[in-house]
Amino acid sequence: MKMEEIDPEGGRIPLLSVIDDDGSSKKGASLSSAVFNISTTMIGAGIMSIPATFKVLGIFPAVFVIFVVALMGDVTGEFMLRYTHTGKSTTYAGLMGESFGKIGSFALQICVILTSFGCLVIYLIIIGDVLTGSSSGGTVHTGILQEWFGYYWWTTRELSLFVVAILILLPLVLLRRVDSLRHTSLLAILLAVVFVVICLVMAIIAIFQGKAQSLRLLPDFSSQGTFLSLFTTVPVFMTAFGYQINVHPIRAELGEPADMKLAIRISLVICAAFYFSIGFSGYLLFGDTINADMLVNFDQSANTVVGLVINAVVRLSYAFHLLLVFPLVNYALRANVDELCFPRTRKTDSEKDDMRFVCLTCTLLALAYGTAIVIPSIWYCFQILGSTTVLCLILIFPSLIILRDIHGISTTWEKAVGAFLIILAFGASIIAIWTNLSE
């Protein structure tokens, strides 16, 4: 059964579970389920670029930034939960609609749609690179399928991604409840653990063999450019800790919505530990030769049988991880597209509602697939999204809600923090975009 609540601007809130008057879900999900889903939302494509940020920033600044960004994520999550509990809206767009009317709700939905769709395209491109290879800096990197079977028509990117989309992704994205993904989210986290553990073991072996790279504790501007170049890491960290778009779908299905705050904090701690582990071990393994996509560096270990096995395990574990993150991000994308395109649709019968759900799901998956085939590289898109729409979703919009304070519950300190986060986000965004365009 789905919710058909009318938001303050007359819109419909689609595809969420029914919430009772006391705030509990009729089919309540557990705290662990929420932690799995929130953590999986965060641990996506950004994890592969974390080691490159260690190269740019150095060890100490990178650890500090991880802590600060996680703290900011906790603060903005608290902002969202407070106004969700006090107000009547049960979607992120509804919160913005309460505070800023249709313009606020529309701006939020556009940012969610662009960010979510961009992430799905990035996931598919990376999965395609893992399966069928890629080229970087004039160097051709073979994919798993070519290494195992050779170059044939059925190992091409187009067909490989099509098979993945139909046989794996489509059944997952057709699940209507976020809580239905709790098992895939757990598996995704376990695959991420496998990836991190392999990197840590390899780093420890490299230390004992004397092959570990020398680490830079602080940034080296003589080799990394100017001070402004440090801000090119902003999009990576922002994207890595972005979970806000799924706060409301996950909270809607919690048996105890009050547990959401604890679930967010546990998830942030888990993800911060993941990012530090992968950043430190990746930087220790490859040093200044680390690429923006660390998977490329694992080709260096593919000159022995053991190296080939490790190479395949690392790349496949990460590819399967992204496959399992895909439906969570798709959930937020579909819900916002549905609300934006059908704002006043009423449920007349379940058959029509199911038809709209299936058609919208298949259309979005097809668009993501087509875009991933056309776009050859992910990184410019990754930088732009992380510097614009992602910053809006995780810092600017929650802070604006606090400053607007339509329910009169914001303290002076919270408003000061909200204003600081907005200024920080705008400043970091402008510098990051300028620096990336100047390079």
Side-chain angles (χ1 to χ4, degrees):
M1 185 175 182
K2 298 175 291 300
M3 174 179 286
E4 294 290 337
E5 179 184 337
I6 307 302
D7 68 21
E9 300 300 325
R12 178 181 50 79
I13 298 175
L15 310 179
L16 295 180
S17 302
V18 175
I19 304 296
D20 293 336
D21 294 336
D22 62 357
S24 62
S25 173
K26 289 185 176 181
K27 293 184 179 180
S30 64
L31 173 64
S32 60
S33 172
V35 170
F36 294 149
N37 285 328
I38 297 171
S39 299
T40 305
T41 302
M42 286 189 277
I43 304 176
I47 191 173
M48 295 309 299
S49 294
I50 292 295
T53 65
F54 276 62
K55 178 184 72 173
V56 175
L57 296 174
I59 299 295
F60 291 156
V63 173
F64 176 74
V65 173
I66 288 176
F67 172 77
V68 170
V69 175
L71 181 62
M72 290 191 296
D74 178 63
V75 170
T76 55
E78 170 68 14
F79 287 170
M80 294 174 65
L81 291 176
R82 286 194 64 192
Y83 272 78
T84 299
H85 179 72
T86 304
K88 297 181 180 180
S89 296
T90 55
T91 64
Y92 198 171
L95 282 182
M96 286 295 290
E98 282 184 345
S99 297
F100 299 98
K102 291 182 178 180
I103 294 178
S105 179
F106 179 77
L108 184 282
Q109 288 176 314
I110 293 299
C111 284
V112 170
I113 290 171
L114 291 176
T115 301
S116 302
F117 185 77
C119 287
L120 297 186
V121 172
I122 288 172
Y123 293 169
L124 286 176
I125 293 174
I126 296 177
I127 293 169
D129 290 343
V130 170
L131 294 177
T132 63
S134 64
S135 60
S136 177
T139 303
V140 176
H141 301 277
T142 57
I144 296 293
L145 294 180
Q146 284 88 2
E147 292 174 0
W148 288 357
F149 306 107
Y151 291 87
Y152 298 98
W153 63 268
W154 47 272
T155 62
T156 60
R157 175 182 292 262
E158 292 81 2
L159 183 59
S160 300
L161 281 181
F162 181 79
V163 172
V164 167
I166 296 299
L167 298 184
I168 300 178
L169 292 178
L170 185 59
L172 292 175
V173 297
L174 285 174
L175 295 173
R176 305 198 67 149
R177 285 172 52 87
V178 176
D179 187 50
S180 301
L181 300 171
R182 63 188 183 278
H183 298 302
T184 60
S185 295
L186 174 59
L187 180 57
I189 293 176
L190 292 177
L191 288 172
V193 170
V194 170
F195 176 77
V196 172
V197 168
I198 291 175
C199 292
L200 286 173
V201 171
M202 291 178 65
I204 293 173
I205 294 175
I207 291 175
F208 281 105
Q209 292 179 346
K211 297 180 180 179
Q213 302 292 319
S214 59
L215 303 182
R216 189 166 47 249
L217 300 181
L218 298 173
D220 180 8
F221 297 121
S222 63
S223 61
Q224 298 296 329
T226 66
F227 173 77
L228 295 182
S229 63
L230 303 182
F231 286 85
T232 59
T233 63
V234 169
V236 177
F237 286 114
M238 290 296 106
T239 305
F241 282 97
Y243 67 90
Q244 284 79 355
I245 61 174
N246 275 330
V247 164
H248 291 90
I250 295 172
R251 178 186 180 275
E253 295 176 1
L254 267 176
E256 295 292 337
D259 288 342
M260 190 64 184
K261 182 177 180 180
L262 178 60
I264 289 175
R265 289 185 172 175
I266 294 174
S267 300
L268 287 170
V269 171
I270 291 174
C271 291
F274 264 87
Y275 296 146
F276 169 75
S277 299
I278 192 61
F280 182 80
S281 59
Y283 187 29
L284 186 63
L285 280 172
F286 304 114
D288 288 339
T289 65
I290 194 78
N291 286 273
D293 180 0
M294 194 175 72
L295 287 181
V296 174
N297 291 91
F298 281 95
D299 284 350
Q300 298 174 8
S301 63
N303 54 359
T304 64
V305 174
V306 175
L308 288 172
V309 173
I310 293 176
N311 191 6
V313 171
V314 168
R315 288 189 287 173
L316 285 177
S317 64
Y318 182 64
F320 277 109
H321 168 78
L322 290 183
L323 286 173
L324 298 178
V325 175
F326 192 100
L328 273 175
V329 179
N330 179 81
Y331 189 98
L333 172 64
R334 180 179 56 211
N336 280 273
V337 171
D338 182 75
E339 189 173 0
L340 186 64
C341 295
F342 309 99
R344 298 182 182 278
T345 301
R346 300 293 184 269
K347 185 174 71 171
T348 56
D349 59 71
S350 59
E351 183 177 349
K352 290 183 179 180
D353 184 73
D354 290 340
M355 180 62 67
R356 188 180 83 247
F357 175 86
V358 173
C359 290
L360 183 57
T361 300
C362 293
T363 299
L364 292 175
L365 182 58
L367 288 174
Y369 166 79
T371 306
I373 295 299
V374 172
I375 295 179
S377 176
I378 66 174
W379 302 113
Y380 284 114
C381 178
F382 187 80
Q383 288 286 334
I384 292 174
L385 286 177
S387 301
T388 53
T389 57
V390 173
L391 277 176
C392 288
L393 292 173
I394 72 176
L395 292 182
I396 295 176
F397 288 161
S399 299
L400 286 175
I401 292 172
I402 284 294
L403 292 177
R404 181 71 170 173
D405 194 22
I406 61 169
H407 299 301
I409 61 175
S410 298
T411 64
T412 302
W413 170 251
E414 288 173 337
K415 291 183 177 180
V417 172
F420 171 76
L421 291 179
I422 291 174
I423 295 172
L424 180 65
F426 272 113
S429 175
I430 293 172
I431 295 174
I433 293 174
W434 172 261
T435 305
N436 279 301
L437 292 177
S438 300
E439 291 182 348

